[in-house]
Amino acid sequence: MKQVLTVVVKLQPTPEQVAKIEATLQAFAAACNYVNEHTNPRLTNKIAIQSLTYQTIKSKFGLVANMAVRACARVSTNRKVANQKGKPVKSFAPTSMDCDKDLFRFREPDWTVSLATIHGREHIELNAGNYQRGKLKGRKPTSAQLCKHRDGKFYLHIQIKDDAPDSPDTDKVLGIDLGRRDIAATSEGENWDGAGIQRVRDKFSRVRASFQKKAPKGTRTTRRRCREILKRLSGRERRYQQWLNHGISKAVVNRAVELSASIAIEDLTGIRERTNEQPRSKTERRRSNSWAFYQLRQFIEYKALLFGVRVIPVPPAYTSQQCHKCLHIHPIKGKSYRSGKTFRCGHCGWHGDADFNGANNIALVGQSINQPGGTGLSCRLKRTIEYVQLSLFDDFRAAENPDFSDSKSG
């Protein structure tokens, strides 16, 4: 399996090169917008789009051949993503351009890149740190993305492809339970408290609301200062969350490597849509929608791939309601042995941290999938749990009311 690592390197162009890069990004975005506006919105095949517009955008916007090809490919990719979300592609901004091996070349001897523009090829210096130099040394990357960041500077996002090590066969599984109170909890009892990130989010929310209220009011100087502060605050919360998720994912993967175990993690796809349907306060809705569980899962997956650790997505159904010791679920439908952070089983008597219990249930499901021929077993296990819960519910009702079983059979 191939693993793609993106190395972000800052460019150091001269003023003349800046003007050429700006013109190239403008032309590339204009070409993408032309292709998007003059072809059928339902057309997503890049070869078909290219056959209709290649010659036109190449001559109209002064693009070289590969730029025209990459413009058609970008429209195709964006349309496919938009179709999945049920939304149309609106427009393309002049902030990035896809580059292949002919549009850019990395030159290690002098740490420069040869970059194609609509005004010819330019050799631009790289402002690379020790991390970037270590990753790029001895490599010949064939794809990158030229980007203009919000700070107005130009960066090159260089993709490096490596062969990921094969995942070894193992019967050990490390379960990971995700949540807002505890960002992550493992089946070994280690957890990461989410109170700190919640305080940070609440603080930034209050500060943003305060300055957004003042921005359209007051003197010209006051309005300008509010906009400057809002711009300075922009991204701080996101970067803090990213730093936190990097630390958690690194610790989880390192522990899995030590144990020679696979990682089973909750698949929480669609949880925001489901929770937003429930009546909640504005604060709770904001906290839930800013929960970066998917980013944490992505970080775990790509770090695990680097070390050959298998990551198993597990459906979260009943993992917080079932006792990991006796696999018992509360016999009354709609009720649970869990109360807040505590889980107390009414069948075997086990009690402890609810997230620890959930992580162990996730590990059990992960083990069933990890076994030879276990692909898809989680779906059958889910149906089995549903059947057991209904059966227990019927048995409980029959014990409470002897006439229940007779009336059911009749």
Side-chain angles (χ1 to χ4, degrees), residues 326-344:
C326 64
L327 305 182
H328 194 266
I329 303 173
H330 200 289
I332 299 180
K333 190 175 182 180
K335 292 195 175 184
S336 174
Y337 292 132
R338 175 170 182 166
S339 176
K341 278 283 290 176
T342 304
F343 187 94
R344 185 179 297 274

Side-chain angles (χ1 to χ4, degrees), residues 157-168:
H157 296 215
I158 303 175
Q159 281 90 43
I160 300 174
K161 297 180 181 179
D162 282 319
D163 290 321
D166 295 330
S167 302

Side-chain angles (χ1 to χ4, degrees), residues 7-26 93-97 99 113 115 117 124-128 132 145-158:
V7 180
V8 181
V9 188
K10 188 176 182 179
L11 299 178
Q12 289 185 313
T14 63
E16 293 78 11
Q17 291 173 335
V18 168
K20 293 180 180 180
I21 294 174
E22 289 275 13
T24 302
L25 292 180
Q26 290 283 352
T95 55
S96 66
M97 181 182 73
C99 303
V113 290
L115 195 65
T117 71
I124 305 174
E125 292 185 12
L126 294 175
N127 184 9
Q132 288 88 349
Q145 193 174 59
L146 174 64
C147 298
K148 181 180 181 180
H149 287 194
R150 295 181 67 178
D151 59 1
K153 306 296 183 181
F154 295 100
Y155 296 79
L156 203 60
H157 296 215
I158 303 175

